[in-house]
Amino acid sequence: MSQRHLPTPRTGTGQPATTGPDAAAGQAARAGGRPVPGFAVRTTVGVADRAITAAAARAGAPGGLRFTERQLYYETCRVLSPGSTFLRGRVPGTPAPVLRLPVFTRALEARGRETVPGLLPPLAAPDERRRPSGRTGSSERSEPDLYDYGLPRLLMCQDPSIAGMLLANHVHLEAACPVFAATDALPLDPRLTAALLRADGATVYVLHDASPAGLAFPALVRAGLGPLPGVRVVSLGLAPRHAAALRLPTGRGPVPGPAGLAALPAALRPREADWLAEGRFAEVSAVPPDRLVRTVLRLTRGPRPPRDSLWSGLRGLRGSGFMTWPAA
């Protein structure tokens, strides 16, 4: 939605509109020194405000998930375009956002970010961000054996705000997988490098956008880790095919040059490479928060052990140690 497509505001008094500096001064006086926004602008911001309320409820479900401002923006676009949610998984495609980001930002600022339940605060400066464990340097010194164990998996996020969102929702605890923003973590702390080597066949997962820079990001992580024998680097996505299947809102940026196109993975389908060559991109933030959390948990914590029945559990108790089953 562009400002130039909105109708010219009217005075609403039935009198001819006054123009010139006198009119601007009168409007500023009525607004306490601030210009009065036009009717169309107020209407657009009001519609966006109501959509933000509905989007916050959807983004936080289930269980009160925390989410970023960018995730709230994409959820607001889905509220304003319910057809894209209905067609997801049925008709692949990558629609454009129905709400321009500046309009959303104005509506969010007008209502106040603190009034949106579940919205995470703006990202702190890189030197102020905590480590994924949530420990400060002093607590790390009080636990000298913190890095003395093997680390079988680790998650690197291209977007620092997504890393903060996953940490805020305790994904690192549930998956037993530390979460890092790659821009803050690379090069890795030598203690983490030693922990990865100590685990047999450790895996570093990479979560990135569907863009030329995002698809080249796993190779940058691999280079940033250095020579770590036995440690795999695995991309979790996004890829253009994921964006199309989920009908994620996409944007269009500068067309990548020959060097950017040459850095794309060879496993991309020709249609995906053409999509990226047009400057198209989709952000991880466009994935619904609940789906993002479920997918990251499913892909990082590995297969679950089979569920035991009641009888198999009782048989296991009998041979599991003393004070678990009477011997006579």
Side-chain angles (χ1 to χ4, degrees), residues 126-148:
D127 55 349
E128 297 176 0
R129 296 175 196 156
R130 289 171 176 254
R131 304 297 286 179
S133 62
R135 292 181 170 88
T136 61
S138 59
S139 62
E140 287 181 358
R141 288 192 296 269
S142 66
E143 299 180 17
D145 61 340
L146 185 62
Y147 296 97
D148 288 349

Side-chain angles (χ1 to χ4, degrees), residues 3 6-12 23-24 26-46 103 106-107 109-110:
Q3 187 76 10
L6 299 177
T8 304
R10 295 181 295 177
T11 59
Q27 287 185 344
R30 290 193 297 272
R34 293 175 300 176
V36 177
F39 172 77
V41 175
R42 295 198 305 271
T43 301
T44 303
V45 172
V103 177
R106 284 199 300 268
E109 290 176 348

Side-chain angles (χ1 to χ4, degrees), residues 58-114:
R58 288 172 46 166
L65 289 176
R66 308 294 302 278
F67 48 87
T68 68
E69 182 176 327
R70 199 76 164 185
Q71 288 177 309
L72 180 62
Y73 163 66
Y74 285 115
E75 198 64 49
T76 303
C77 291
R78 280 187 281 270
V79 168
L80 294 173
S81 180
S84 62
T85 302
F86 175 75
L87 296 174
R88 189 184 305 150
R90 298 175 177 87
V91 181
T94 52
V98 299
L99 182 68
R100 296 187 65 222
L101 184 59
V103 177
F104 166 81
T105 304
R106 284 199 300 268
L108 185 60
E109 290 176 348
R111 68 174 290 161
R113 288 173 171 82
E114 67 281 354

Side-chain angles (χ1 to χ4, degrees), residues 6 54 93 97 219 264 306-307 320 326 328:
L6 299 177
L264 295 177
R307 186 186 298 272
S320 61

